[in-house]
Amino acid sequence: MVSVRVEHILRSKGTQVVTVSPDATITDAAGLLGSHGVGALVVSGDGRHIDGIISERDIARALADHGARLGDMRVADLMSTQVHTCRKDDRVESLMQLMTQRRIRHVPVVDDAGELSGIVSIGDVVKLRLDELEEEARTLHDYIETGR
């Protein structure tokens, strides 16, 4: 994984980011999470600038505190406003370090203007690493088989 950049992951998975308005309800957000099969939504009023992030984990934890009224609460009431981001030219190793240190599973990717240009999940990073290990194993196998 020497010098692999975040853009490598985005080339493979795409740059689509599912966003939700800060004024949407938690029920709306949960619906988006389920229908898009994602674990987190970037909260954005305009689809380009990041206001926050909300994850399945945030919703599950809030259920204990708010019970049935959670569904009617606004995303802005529950979202994390301290969002750690990365750039396409960041090294994946530094992204993994950020995710580990901050205990986060989703990192939005921003461009030079600070606008949203993708999102990377821990699952994307694991997939990249597994693909690399598979390629390495295949290369070693071929080397042993052919003697070169």
Side-chain angles (χ1 to χ4, degrees):
M1 188 168 355
V2 177
S3 295
V4 175
R5 305 287 175 179
V6 169
E7 71 181 331
H8 180 83
I9 293 174
L10 293 179
R11 267 189 260 125
S12 174
K13 74 170 279 190
T15 58
Q16 180 184 10
V17 181
V18 183
T19 62
V20 65
S21 166
D23 295 326
T25 66
I26 298 301
T27 298
D28 295 335
L32 286 171
L33 288 164
S35 66
H36 289 278
V38 296
L41 303 169
V42 172
V43 182
S44 176
D46 63 9
R48 294 185 326 269
H49 298 94
I50 300 170
D51 299 323
I53 193 164
I54 188 165
S55 70
E56 292 171 324
R57 183 193 273 183
D58 295 328
I59 294 171
R61 288 181 174 167
L63 187 58
D65 294 333
H66 303 287
R69 65 188 179 95
L70 176 64
D72 294 328
M73 291 176 63
R74 300 285 169 220
V75 168
D77 298 327
L78 194 59
M79 70 183 187
S80 299
T81 56
Q82 184 180 21
V83 181
H84 298 280
T85 62
C86 67
R87 297 169 160 292
K88 288 181 182 181
D89 62 343
D90 286 348
R91 292 181 24 234
V92 172
E93 292 91 341
S94 64
L95 176 63
M96 292 188 317
Q97 192 172 44
L98 172 69
M99 290 175 148
T100 301
Q101 289 173 346
R102 299 294 182 178
R103 301 182 66 145
I104 54 177
R105 296 178 175 167
H106 301 87
V107 178
V109 182
V110 295
D111 63 16
D112 292 338
E115 292 188 0
L116 195 57
S117 62
I119 190 166
V120 178
S121 73
I122 192 70
D124 299 326
V125 174
V126 169
K127 180 186 180 313
L128 172 68
R129 187 65 184 129
L130 289 174
D131 290 348
E132 288 175 339
L133 290 171
E134 187 177 299
E135 178 62 27
E136 184 178 306
R138 189 173 24 259
T139 301
L140 288 171
H141 179 269
D142 291 348
Y143 177 78
I144 291 168
E145 288 290 315
T146 63
R148 49 185 168 109

